[in-house]
Amino acid sequence: MRYRRAVQRLRMLARACEQTRRVPVDEPFLRAAYVFGGLVEGADPVEQVEVVFVLNLPPEEVAWGTQPPGTAWLVDFLELDKGGVAYRWRSRHDAVANHRISEPVRFWSLDGIDESVLDALEGRRFELLSQGDPAAGTERADVTEELRAALEHLRAVHEAYWDRKWRREHRGLSRQPEHHLWEAVGGYLELLDLRDE
């Protein structure tokens, strides 16, 4: 998609993130949203808007490459399955950046939409983006720790896969138990390959 359209899609996504704050809960599920990749590098056209969402979940529930529990509604609400957006999940207790997520820039948080980031992207003033959230781009998640978490998640999914209750709980909103197993395998193998390199 053209760069201008990608920025518009990011603005729509920021507004949708803002709407999640209306859900009356003590601890909001969605904590922050970051953009990275082609859009912040100024690519035109942009293959996909790459975003990462920070969730109020412990790290062991946000294994790399998987869709954590409770995110199906968020995918639907944010219309992430409509195309044009590549999304990842991170725990609020982990670094946002890792081997795939490089120099993320926060465009939404519980404080609201960061209009300065969206305006900088729209005006292609990339030098202003580094002022956003420096900690997100400098600290990187440890591959060994992520690999350990991914293996634990894979084992848990493998162990529960044929359990009827588990299968019933992991079905719905266009998701099947097979999706969870496939993602657990894919995330683990990606990290294993990275460690071996």
Side-chain angles (χ1 to χ4, degrees):
M1 79 181 80
R2 300 303 300 178
Y3 181 87
R4 185 182 193 95
R5 175 70 184 118
V7 174
Q8 289 172 346
R9 179 68 173 101
L10 191 65
R11 278 192 186 278
M12 292 187 319
L13 191 53
R15 287 194 293 271
C17 288
E18 186 67 11
Q19 293 300 312
T20 65
R21 291 177 41 188
R22 294 183 175 206
V23 178
V25 292
D26 292 334
E27 286 290 325
F29 186 64
L30 181 61
R31 308 289 297 193
Y34 292 78
V35 61
F36 65 101
L39 190 59
V40 297
E41 295 164 2
D44 195 2
V46 176
E47 197 169 316
Q48 292 180 310
V49 177
E50 295 176 277
V51 293
V52 57
F53 298 101
V54 178
L55 305 175
N56 189 25
L57 288 174
E60 60 270 13
E61 291 186 30
V62 191
W64 179 251
T66 66
Q67 185 166 314
T71 55
W73 74 270
L74 202 51
V75 170
D76 187 53
F77 187 82
L78 299 177
E79 298 183 343
L80 298 174
D81 55 352
K82 300 279 187 202
V85 176
Y87 58 94
R88 297 289 187 162
W89 310 104
R90 302 298 282 163
S91 166
R92 69 183 279 201
H93 303 289
D94 285 336
V96 176
N98 70 1
H99 66 286
R100 282 266 191 227
I101 303 165
S102 181
E103 299 182 15
V105 178
R106 190 177 63 204
F107 66 93
W108 179 84
S109 70
L110 292 176
D111 294 330
I113 298 171
D114 193 332
E115 292 291 346
S116 65
V117 166
L118 297 174
D119 291 344
L121 285 169
E122 188 171 27
R124 299 176 76 87
R125 295 185 311 275
F126 305 112
E127 70 280 0
L128 301 178
L129 295 177
S130 62
Q131 298 171 0
D133 187 8
T138 57
E139 184 185 342
R140 285 186 169 259
D142 178 34
V143 173
T144 305
E145 185 58 31
E146 286 204 87
L147 182 62
R148 184 201 56 75
L151 179 58
E152 285 179 15
H153 178 73
L154 176 58
R155 285 182 171 145
V157 171
H158 180 260
E159 184 178 312
Y161 187 75
W162 292 111
D163 180 74
R164 286 185 184 188
K165 183 180 177 192
W166 183 90
R167 291 180 70 80
R168 191 171 36 256
E169 290 171 353
H170 290 80
R171 179 177 289 127
L173 290 176
S174 302
R175 305 266 307 155
Q176 297 298 322
E178 293 77 16
H179 291 108
H180 296 277
L181 180 59
W182 181 255
E183 291 166 352
V185 169
Y188 174 73
L189 290 177
E190 179 182 334
L191 290 165
L192 185 63
D193 289 344
L194 183 69
R195 186 203 64 185
D196 291 345
E197 287 174 10

